[in-house]
Amino acid sequence: MRFVASMLVAGAVAAPATAGTVSVTIPRLSVAEYHRPYVAVWIEPAGGGAARTLAIWYDTKKRGNEPGTKWLADLRAWWRKGGRSLQMPANGVSGATRPPGTHTIPLPADLKPGAYTLNVEAARETGGRELVQLPLTVPTKAARAAGSHELGAVTLSAR
Amino acid sequence: MKTLALRLLAAAALLAVPAGLSAHRLWLLPSGTIFSGTDSWVTVDMAASNDLFYADHQPGRLDGMKVWQPDGTAGQIQNGSTGRYRSVFDVRLDKPGTWKIGTETSALMGSFKVGGVEKRVGGRPGTGPNGERIAPLTVAEIPADASDVQLTEVGARNEIFVTAGEPTRTVLTPTGKGLELDAITHPDELVAGETARFRFLVDGKPAAGLKVTVVPGGKRYRDAEGARELTTGSDGVLSVDWPAAGMYWLNTTYQDAKASVPRAAGRRLSYTTTLEVMTP
């Protein structure tokens, strides 16, 4: 409760101007061995150009011979489009894996108006991999797409 | 002349294989080509077989296996082992960038006559009357009174590319010697549905009209061999479409009369690589 209150205060004090919000739903899967998926969210200009990573969720705690970064390349589209040039951990971008449910990511406020493609890619240990793409125009209009196995709904909203 | 050519073909294939027939394809198969994280290792199989990539004939030879680190300096293989059908080794990818791993062999093959008896130079050891192995003769052992000396230079490259982190291009720089691949498309950035472009060079110059064979792995699980024979354009550039993700074996051969070694009448060069194509 206190957490919610502090969030509200923070929101009221420093409401960052965002270009919109992305919601990503990680589906609950009834499988024998479940591991939370690695998820990457990034945007690319529709006419081509550098990708910008908005979020990368991976096993940030695993160290040793096989650190959590070992499987980042399994997000193969993201890895090729720019993940491989990102230093991990990436401030404000990388974070721990998320449980099933809907998670929101703000679109950066400095996003220039124009046409983009929003990409959400998920890869799961002992599971599958899926890429969901959604056209994005800034200023943001509501839009929706959905994955079929590793990802649920991916939605865009104006705020 | 025909028999000599056939023998040269056999000898070339035998350069990197201990024994066996010439028709088999020599291949390197890395466990992956794209790596993330800070402590990546690639493990590589090497063998000769007809069907790709099934080790069911002869192992490859690990002596002469080279590693080029991303900065171009020499690296090393580890945990090398040769079994009945394949050899295996590891490379620790302890530097970010693109690594090259493979063999570059060069040898002289041929024959001469002394007193009407034909003798062979280079190639596979012969067998004596009591079944003993007879080492092949070297060029230095050709006697002064030899006649019908026919020698061919045989050069072969067989290499793979693996990348830790971001791809780099230092190890892709052509040397200007022999038959080699000039990667316009980075060999670790191949995607199904996208066209890759590779230029083939002979002594640094584009090799126009070169026939290149591209064979997908996984032969056992389909009916067709799936091999394609493609040809380089006038600029030496080969365009390859990838119908599906997977490992592909690529091979090409070239011959001409420009041997770099004295007494050799010509040369026969080959280039082989294994490429991994990813899903989009």
Side-chain angles (χ1 to χ4, degrees):
Chain A
M1 196 59 224
R2 202 186 306 148
F3 175 65
V4 172
S6 65
M7 288 248 305
L8 284 171
V9 170
V13 171
T18 66
T21 304
V22 183
S23 297
V24 175
T25 301
I26 297 173
R28 188 171 299 280
L29 302 169
S30 56
V31 290
E33 181 183 344
Y34 181 78
H35 302 274
R36 292 177 180 180
Y38 276 32
V39 175
V41 181
W42 76 100
I43 51 173
E44 290 171 51
R52 179 170 173 177
T53 302
L54 305 184
I56 168 69
W57 302 333
Y58 71 103
D59 189 339
T60 51
K61 288 206 180 118
K62 202 166 185 308
R63 298 271 188 272
N65 276 345
E66 296 194 313
T69 50
K70 177 172 175 175
W71 297 278
L72 285 172
D74 288 355
L75 294 163
R76 51 196 177 228
W78 170 76
W79 185 253
R80 188 167 62 244
K81 294 292 173 65
R84 63 195 185 190
S85 59
L86 210 59
Q87 276 294 326
M88 291 294 161
N91 205 0
V93 172
S94 64
T97 52
R98 306 288 178 94
T102 299
H103 307 277
T104 58
I105 302 145
L107 285 171
D110 60 357
L111 210 54
K112 290 194 172 61
Y116 299 85
T117 303
L118 173 77
N119 299 268
V120 182
E121 186 177 20
R124 182 166 55 89
E125 185 180 357
T126 68
R129 171 260 183 195
E130 186 164 32
L131 173 65
V132 173
Q133 293 181 307
L134 187 58
L136 159 68
T137 47
V138 176
T140 311
K141 296 184 188 76
R144 190 177 189 282
S148 62
H149 47 107
E150 297 300 328
L151 286 166
V154 173
T155 59
L156 276 165
S157 58
R159 63 177 84 197
Chain B
M1 195 59 223
K2 195 185 172 191
T3 51
L4 171 71
L6 282 175
R7 201 176 298 137
L8 288 175
L9 280 170
L14 288 165
L15 263 181
V17 188
L21 293 168
S22 63
H24 295 86
R25 293 158 172 161
L26 184 66
W27 47 264
L28 288 163
L29 183 68
S31 55
T33 57
I34 297 171
F35 294 88
S36 64
T38 49
D39 189 33
S40 299
W41 290 69
V42 61
T43 180
V44 183
D45 291 349
M46 187 189 194
S49 69
N50 279 331
D51 292 350
L52 299 166
F53 293 93
Y54 303 106
D56 59 5
H57 179 60
Q58 288 292 340
R61 281 173 63 158
L62 295 186
D63 48 338
M65 184 60 60
K66 287 193 211 168
V67 176
W68 288 260
Q69 302 189 92
D71 61 2
T73 59
Q76 59 177 2
I77 66 167
Q78 298 188 48
N79 307 324
S81 167
T82 295
R84 172 64 184 85
Y85 284 143
R86 69 172 172 162
S87 293
V88 179
F89 61 90
D90 298 334
V91 177
R92 185 178 187 180
L93 308 174
D94 52 6
K95 292 187 182 117
T98 299
W99 297 60
K100 183 166 87 173
I101 302 165
T103 54
E104 287 177 310
T105 52
S106 181
L108 270 177
M109 308 270 169
S111 65
F112 62 89
K113 278 185 184 169
V114 167
V117 180
E118 192 183 85
K119 306 246 180 192
R120 280 166 45 199
V121 175
R124 156 157 74 140
T127 308
N130 302 318
E132 73 273 21
R133 296 200 116 195
I134 300 168
L137 297 172
T138 63
V139 175
E141 289 171 311
I142 301 176
D145 60 345
S147 64
D148 298 282
V149 179
Q150 290 179 318
L151 292 175
T152 297
E153 183 186 0
V154 180
R157 276 197 175 89
N158 190 348
E159 57 198 25
I160 51 170
F161 305 92
V162 298
T163 296
E166 272 197 279
T168 57
R169 301 193 73 97
T170 306
V171 300
L172 304 180
T173 310
T175 63
K177 283 185 197 147
L179 176 59
E180 54 192 338
L181 176 99
D182 178 17
I184 301 169
T185 306
H186 194 292
D188 290 337
E189 295 198 88
L190 308 177
V191 182
E194 291 181 12
T195 302
R197 296 173 77 237
F198 304 123
R199 183 182 288 113
F200 284 88
L201 304 174
V202 173
D203 294 339
K205 294 188 185 68
L210 195 69
K211 286 192 166 55
V212 181
T213 306
V214 179
V215 189
K219 158 91 183 275
R220 190 178 293 159
Y221 310 114
R222 59 173 188 266
D223 289 339
E225 159 88 335
R228 285 180 293 164
E229 192 165 272
L230 308 170
T231 308
T232 60
S234 56
D235 51 0
V237 174
L238 185 80
S239 295
V240 193
D241 291 317
W242 310 107
M247 288 285 187
Y248 287 79
W249 184 80
L250 182 151
N251 171 262
T252 184
T253 57
Y254 172 89
Q255 41 197 330
D256 66 14
K258 295 181 194 163
S260 63
V261 193
R263 304 185 76 172
R267 62 178 174 175
R268 187 176 183 280
L269 307 171
S270 76
Y271 182 89
T272 308
T273 185
T274 302
L275 300 166
E276 186 179 30
V277 177
M278 307 298 287
T279 53

